[in-house]
Amino acid sequence: MLTFAFDIGETIVRDDRYWASWADWLDIPRHTLSALVGAVVAEHRDNADALRLLRPGIDLDAEYAAREAAGRGERIDETDLYPDVRPALVALRAAGHRLLIAGNQTRRAAELLRALDLPVDAIATSGEWSAAKPDQAFFAHLIEFAETAPDQVVYVGDHPANDIAPAKAAGLRTAHIRRGPWGHLWGDSPAAAAADWRINSLTELATIVA
């Protein structure tokens, strides 16, 4: 049996609420921020650069802390999950696979995801590991977290450059899911094409590995 490790943003959860909450906090139109996120993504830049363009010199850590203190901080609930998440996890678990969630998110995001009681074995984030994708240190943590050989781990993600390419470099198997801005924009890129599997829904995984 395999260990499946799932990216978080635009693989497990939609990022709609995340960016909308930042727009509301900075008092700017949601569409403006959304468009800028798309623009920096297309330029292969850090998506947080969208916030830096709107507020030059912004201290993102300080603003994040201020939002939390004001009761307007990070939130993840059942409505943020893609609809195929629970059915896919249930099917994979029933088939005997081990399931992990690990992505570039904050410590707070890890707490919120654990509170959803998803049918997975463990959850971790880059904020807890102090290492973020595409750095190989993240995948070294992931391999240790998985407690199995790298070639027995399938990393599932939407971002070819951050998820698929570095996971393959670390010796993991990979599945690219075509959804979200990154998944669609770079869905036909060489990095996406190099994935072991290419899917449009997480529910496809149970059939593929069978």
Side-chain angles (χ1 to χ4, degrees):
M1 294 301 168
L2 298 169
T3 293
F4 285 86
F6 295 87
D7 171 46
I8 299 172
E10 296 301 338
T11 297
I12 295 293
V13 302
R14 296 188 299 269
D15 285 342
D16 308 47
R17 185 202 297 265
Y18 178 82
W19 292 112
S21 65
W22 269 111
D24 294 346
W25 176 255
L26 296 175
D27 194 26
I28 57 175
R30 292 182 177 184
H31 176 68
T32 299
L33 179 54
S34 178
L36 280 174
V37 170
V40 299
V41 165
E43 294 179 350
H44 298 268
R45 294 166 58 180
D46 180 356
N47 53 23
D49 282 348
L51 299 173
R52 299 183 182 103
L53 287 169
L54 289 163
R55 294 288 186 274
I58 189 173
D59 184 332
L60 291 175
D61 290 338
E63 290 292 337
Y64 183 91
R67 285 182 55 195
E68 291 289 339
R72 296 174 60 184
E74 200 164 2
R75 297 288 181 272
I76 299 173
D77 62 30
E78 192 72 22
T79 64
D80 297 300
L81 295 175
Y82 273 101
D84 59 354
V85 170
R86 285 191 183 275
L89 295 178
V90 168
L92 289 169
R93 170 161 277 189
H97 300 293
R98 187 160 185 260
L99 306 179
L100 308 173
I101 293 176
N104 280 357
Q105 303 287 341
T106 63
R107 289 176 177 271
R108 176 61 175 153
E111 296 171 359
L112 294 168
L113 286 167
R114 291 180 187 122
L116 294 180
D117 195 27
L118 292 164
V120 299
D121 295 283
I123 296 171
T125 63
S126 58
E128 294 176 315
W129 288 343
S130 298
K133 298 176 295 184
D135 195 312
Q136 282 297 304
F138 175 94
F139 292 96
H141 280 289
L142 177 58
I143 292 167
E144 183 178 358
F145 191 49
E147 299 179 331
T148 189
D151 64 359
Q152 294 304 299
V153 179
V154 179
Y155 194 70
V156 185
D158 64 297
H159 197 308
N162 281 2
D163 299 332
I164 306 305
K168 288 189 72 68
L172 280 61
R173 299 195 217 180
T174 56
H176 177 256
I177 184 163
R178 191 184 187 107
R179 68 178 172 204
W182 300 273
H184 286 289
L185 181 61
W186 296 320
D188 295 320
S189 67
D196 295 281
W197 297 282
R198 302 175 75 182
I199 59 176
N200 294 303
S201 169
L202 296 178
T203 54
E204 296 174 43
L205 291 170
T207 302
I208 288 170
V209 296

